[in-house]
Structures are given as structure tokens and as C-alpha cells.
Amino acid sequence: MKSAKIILSALAGVAVGVQIGLLIAPEKGTDTRKKLTKKGEEYLKDINGQIDGLLKGMNEKMDKMNKNIATVAEETKARGKELLAEAKEKTK
């Protein structure tokens, strides 16, 4: 959730920055557009990096959770077999 807020904040910042840049640009329109395009690409690259990091973190957590689930399943299965063996032993 924190990463999503960061991404949305970054997008809002880019939008505001572009608007301010267009309003107060002291240079020719073509130069301003080139600078804005370059900055926009930098922001986009940064946002993509943040998204990639977020996805990588989510994947790592999912892998860890899946391993934990598999471990619990194996332990439960083993314990079930033990209890079944105990029950059979007591019924003899």
C-alpha cells in the first residue's frame, strides 16, 4: 500500500510539474517541450523502477508464503499419520 501511495504521489508531482513548467517557461516552446519530454521520461523510468521493485517484493513474499504453506501441510500430514498410528496402536 505504501508503494502505491508513492507511485500516485509521483504521478501527481509529474502532472503538476509539467503544468508549472509550461506556465513559467522562459524559453522557446520547442526547447521547453524537449526538456519536459526528457524529464517526463526520467520520471517514467523512476516510476517503472518503483513498480518493478514493488512487484519483486510481492513475488518474494508470495514465494515465502507458498513455502510456509507447503511446510505446514507436510507437518500436518506427518502429524496426522502419527495420530493415526497411535489410534491404531491403542485399539489393539
Side-chain angles (χ1 to χ4, degrees):
M1 196 66 172
K2 182 179 177 184
S3 296
K5 287 182 182 180
I6 291 171
I7 292 169
L8 290 176
S9 298
L11 289 174
V14 168
V16 170
V18 167
Q19 291 174 354
I20 291 173
L22 290 173
L23 291 174
I24 62 171
E27 300 171 350
K28 292 191 317 184
T30 55
D31 294 338
T32 302
R33 283 190 293 277
K34 286 179 186 177
K35 285 183 179 182
L36 288 174
T37 300
K38 184 178 178 183
K39 273 293 185 192
E41 289 171 354
E42 289 173 8
Y43 287 132
L44 184 60
K45 185 177 178 181
D46 184 45
I47 290 170
N48 284 335
Q50 289 181 6
I51 290 172
D52 288 343
L54 175 66
L55 292 175
K56 182 180 177 184
M58 288 174 60
N59 285 333
E60 288 173 356
K61 287 180 182 181
M62 288 295 291
D63 288 342
K64 185 177 179 180
M65 187 173 69
N66 286 335
K67 287 178 184 176
N68 287 341
I69 289 170
T71 300
V72 169
E74 287 297 319
E75 290 172 354
T76 303
K77 185 177 177 180
R79 182 67 179 140
K81 287 181 180 180
E82 290 173 8
L83 291 173
L84 183 60
E86 286 178 23
K88 285 181 181 180
E89 189 65 35
K90 286 183 180 180
T91 58
K92 286 184 179 179

